Amino acid sequence: MLPLVVPSLVVGVVSALVLLGVDAVAGQLQGVLWGTLPDALGIGRYSALWMIVMLTAVGLAVGVVVRQVYGHAGPDPATTGLVDAPMAPGVLPGLLVVTVLALAGGVSLGPENPITATNIALAYWLGRKAAPRAPAALWVPLGAAGTIGALFGTPVAAALILSETFAGRPGPGSLWDKLFGPLVAAGAGGLTAVLIAHPTFDLNLPPYPGTHWSDLLAALVIAPLAAALGMAAVRAFPYLHALFLRIGRPVPALAAGGLALGLLGALGGHLTLFKGLDEVKTLASDPDGWSAGSFALMTVVKLAALVTAAACGFRGGRIFPAIFVGVALGLCAHALVPAVHPTVGVVSGVLGILLAITRQGWLSLFAAAVLAADTAVLPLLCVAVLPAWLLVTGRVQMQLHEDGTPLR
């Protein structure tokens, strides 16, 4: 395993730099599109008119890029997962362009899927050139782990996700032997992100006083409800994808998707735009700042925006928007029943929705726990995950075969 250390370190650092670079470019462009430009035109930055116009224009721009670039910015995103086979290197420039446009333009998707695909392709292509005798299968988990480590600022998430992947693959060596290289890559990616960008997922929720019987009951109710809501979106996904597919060409399909997202944004407010990581911190900073109806509206709108964006052809990930949905749902439960502690509502909602959207049990537990930054919620989550998992396991996933039928 010793020869894995250097290439794993390199892949992890490069993966983090690619992610941070895309985030930086998208952040600068977002400032122009949602600050400089509407100010110059004398239009409200988050007025309904500007949201509709901007998201429609972003959909049109992404559609033009998808139509024109080599490889059409990758395969149909409805058919891809978080960790897939490497793409051809020539596809990556177009994929990165449409990712930046979507992130900056307010589309309800995160960077995780396209950036992971980019880093896997780079690691595979450059790794095969630098070390042609190394197994080709080595580079995919390194690229994936480096990106996931950078996304969450810790290698733990990568270890949990890849442990599920490796568990189904027979072969010599223990699980920790198989995870050695990816953990090095994830650690390097996470440290690079922490040292440069200082990411944090702690929502600074009100202090959790400790578990009571009422907390257990709340978690056992909210997590399955969130999972059921997520499964409703998963069920609608193939039908909405087929609807956009009937339009035929990427330019009108993505423009129509952008228009739909703009209308949803006008309905739900500007907090339901973008990937949701910054916006969710705004929600959590004031759990009593909105009514139950407002939280419910944001929950439904954000989930509809996530499904629409993923179905019409925008490139992006679903983890961060799903976290927003779970947080809004959890705070809605707190607003409806004040006895539900905000922390319990949030972590239970995030757990359930992520189980339905990602079908990754360990990732869902990790993401829910890290938002609270309190280990006292772990026993609750480990119990609440069980009924929620019964609702989602073995059922259709939010990913399609090439013929449009959903995976199971």
Side-chain angles (χ1 to χ4, degrees), residues 342-357:
T343 298
V344 174
V346 164
V347 298
S348 303
V350 169
L351 174 66
I353 199 74
L354 281 179
L355 285 174
I357 298 298

Side-chain angles (χ1 to χ4, degrees), residues 315-339:
R315 275 60 174 167
R318 299 148 189 188
I319 295 174
F320 295 127
I323 288 175
F324 181 98
V325 175
V327 170
L329 179 63
L331 293 177
C332 177
H334 166 69
L336 283 171
V337 184

